[in-house]
Amino acid sequence: MGLTSNKVLWLAIVIAAVLFIGTVWLWPRLARQHWRSVSGRVGLLLATQVALFASVGLAANQAFGFYASWADLFGTETGQGVVVDHSVHGSGGPLQVVSTSEVPGVRATRPERGGQIQKVDIVGRRTHIATPAYVYLPPEYFQPQYRTRTFPTTVVLTGYPGTARSLVDKLNYPSTAQRLARDGRVQPMILVMLRPTVAPPRDTECVDIPGGPQTETFFAKDLPDAVLGHYRGAKRPGGWGIVGDSTGGYCALKLAMHHPRVYAAGAGLSPYYEAPIDPTTGDLFHGDAKLRNRADLFWLLRHEPAPDTSLLVTSSKAGEHNYKSTMDFIQRVQATDRTRISSIILDSGGHNFNTWRREIPPTLQWISGRLSDH
């Protein structure tokens, strides 16, 4: 049974309930001052507490998508995730469709009515980074009258560690985009949904690491090339945007600022503004001061020409730790002459899925209004 399985969650809840009932039932028998009775009380309390914490942890993981598997949780996924796939040079191409499915929450079963989710494997031609992703194709993509049309495309990133599937069935990006398009509030868009963690378990912060994964190049060059080689995405500047939450939000802002001709708009939900260095990232810059500085978005605004791109940032007055830095970032961008800035500031909201679900509909409307399909 997988970590995110409902069976595992319910099994943990049942065990916790049985242990609680057993503790209450057996407590009188263990009330004597004997080492066996004391050991029994300690054992029952400890087992009950562990079962309760496990139940809460499993429920939280299902709600927020922190870990995708037991191996992910215990850190036993040791593969670097950076491979050379020789099929890239053959007939397979850098993007392979693994499976297709309906859009969760949408009743229509035919793709021309309900759209489609495609699970894909992507391998970068330049970076040789390999990663899975989910692609949402709107109903219009399959309709005969749109067969020659290209569609604006938005890359959607999770936080760290995150799971790409959570963007589909927890944050509901595809069903939200479809509902908004049906109501005429956004244009039909292709969504490319994946983790920024393309070299698991390492958190690369979308940096081209000297001697390591070239993550920024993957998102700026390899990913658009792979998608455009397979789908009818917008090919001209102005047709691509990028959205992310937490680590993905930082990546979205940085990629839009570093590569404005690729990403005409970037939205960071609860982002931060410089790459952290911690045990999950390792040494990202290897003493390269220029690389470290360019990863600091405040430094970028102070020392380099303002990029011609549109940015959106979100925070909450109560509940988010990035509120002050977000307001400072807004002021800094406003002082530039080319970069455009918008924001969503909630009165209260934590760093979690519930907050981001409140921000995703207006974010998709914002990014749709800044992308063209030709």
Side-chain angles (χ1 to χ4, degrees):
M1 292 185 288
L3 177 63
T4 59
S5 167
N6 286 329
K7 292 181 180 179
V8 171
L9 175 59
W10 281 109
L11 178 61
I13 293 172
V14 169
I15 291 173
V18 169
L19 285 170
F20 175 76
I21 294 170
T23 300
V24 174
W25 182 261
L26 295 173
W27 197 261
R29 302 183 186 182
L30 301 172
R32 292 177 294 175
Q33 298 301 316
H34 187 274
W35 71 267
R36 291 181 178 175
S37 298
V38 172
S39 298
R41 293 198 299 268
V42 170
L44 281 172
L45 288 173
L46 181 61
T48 303
Q49 291 295 318
V50 170
L52 284 172
F53 278 117
S55 300
V56 172
L58 288 167
N61 188 64
Q62 286 220 19
F64 302 117
F66 297 124
Y67 299 98
S69 64
W70 295 109
D72 196 13
L73 173 65
F74 293 112
T76 56
E77 283 188 347
T78 57
Q80 289 295 302
V82 182
V83 301
V84 177
D85 188 339
H86 297 285
S87 68
V88 171
H89 307 289
S91 60
L95 188 149
Q96 295 289 321
V97 177
V98 177
S99 63
T100 62
S101 61
E102 300 169 8
V103 177
V106 176
R107 294 182 179 179
T109 58
R110 296 166 57 187
E112 62 269 25
R113 299 286 300 275
Q116 189 177 83
I117 303 292
Q118 297 190 350
K119 184 177 181 180
V120 303
D121 287 332
I122 299 172
V123 180
R125 289 189 181 276
R126 299 170 182 82
T127 63
H128 306 301
I129 286 175
T131 187
Y134 290 91
V135 176
Y136 162 69
L137 301 173
E140 291 81 1
Y141 191 90
F142 301 94
Q143 295 170 4
Q145 63 268 36
Y146 295 105
R147 64 182 179 276
T148 61
R149 175 180 171 177
T150 58
F151 291 81
T153 304
T154 296
V155 174
V156 185
L157 302 177
T158 69
Y160 175 85
T163 63
R165 186 68 197 181
S166 68
L167 298 168
V168 177
D169 54 21
K170 295 289 192 298
L171 289 175
N172 307 320
Y173 271 95
S175 57
T176 302
Q178 186 174 140
R179 184 184 73 250
L180 293 173
R182 185 182 65 239
D183 295 343
R185 290 187 283 171
V186 304
Q187 54 184 322
M189 291 185 290
I190 295 173
L191 303 180
V192 183
M193 298 164 283
L194 68 164
R195 306 166 73 187
T197 313
V198 292
R202 189 175 188 181
D203 176 12
T204 60
E205 295 291 326
C206 299
V207 168
D208 279 350
I209 301 173
Q214 303 296 287
T215 314
E216 181 169 348
T217 297
F218 173 81
F219 283 109
K221 297 181 180 179
D222 283 347
L223 179 61
D225 286 352
V227 171
L228 291 176
H230 194 89
Y231 298 106
R232 300 196 311 275
K235 292 182 168 59
R236 296 183 183 179
W240 279 62
I242 184 166
V243 179
D245 59 74
S246 192
T247 298
Y250 163 72
C251 287
L253 297 176
K254 181 173 67 174
L255 287 162
M257 294 176 72
H258 283 186
H259 307 278
R261 287 189 59 80
V262 178
Y263 296 110
L269 311 185
S270 307
Y272 45 87
Y273 302 96
E274 62 177 319
I277 300 296
D278 58 33
T280 68
T281 65
D283 186 357
L284 293 174
F285 308 114
H286 292 256
D288 188 328
K290 181 179 179 181
L291 188 61
R292 183 183 64 249
N293 288 337
R294 278 182 55 78
D296 183 335
L297 304 188
F298 281 101
W299 185 96
L300 202 68
L301 290 168
R302 289 193 301 266
H303 295 92
E304 294 196 2
D308 183 13
T309 192
S310 297
L311 304 176
L312 170 71
V313 292
T314 80
S315 187
S316 302
K317 295 177 182 178
E320 285 274 26
H321 297 297
N322 75 334
Y323 176 69
K324 184 179 183 301
S325 59
T326 294
M327 301 310 294
D328 291 343
F329 184 76
I330 291 170
Q331 290 184 349
R332 177 65 64 176
V333 176
Q334 285 179 318
T336 68
D337 56 350
R338 299 182 72 198
T339 308
R340 298 160 295 282
I341 186 74
S342 303
S343 67
I344 299 172
I345 306 297
L346 302 177
D347 288 333
S348 65
H351 197 80
N352 55 52
F353 279 18
N354 183 58
T355 297
W356 298 329
R357 280 191 289 262
R358 296 161 61 195
E359 297 168 341
I360 286 169
T363 296
L364 289 177
Q365 288 181 259
W366 174 87
I367 208 164
S368 171
R370 282 151 184 82
L371 302 183
S372 60
D373 62 351
H374 53 75

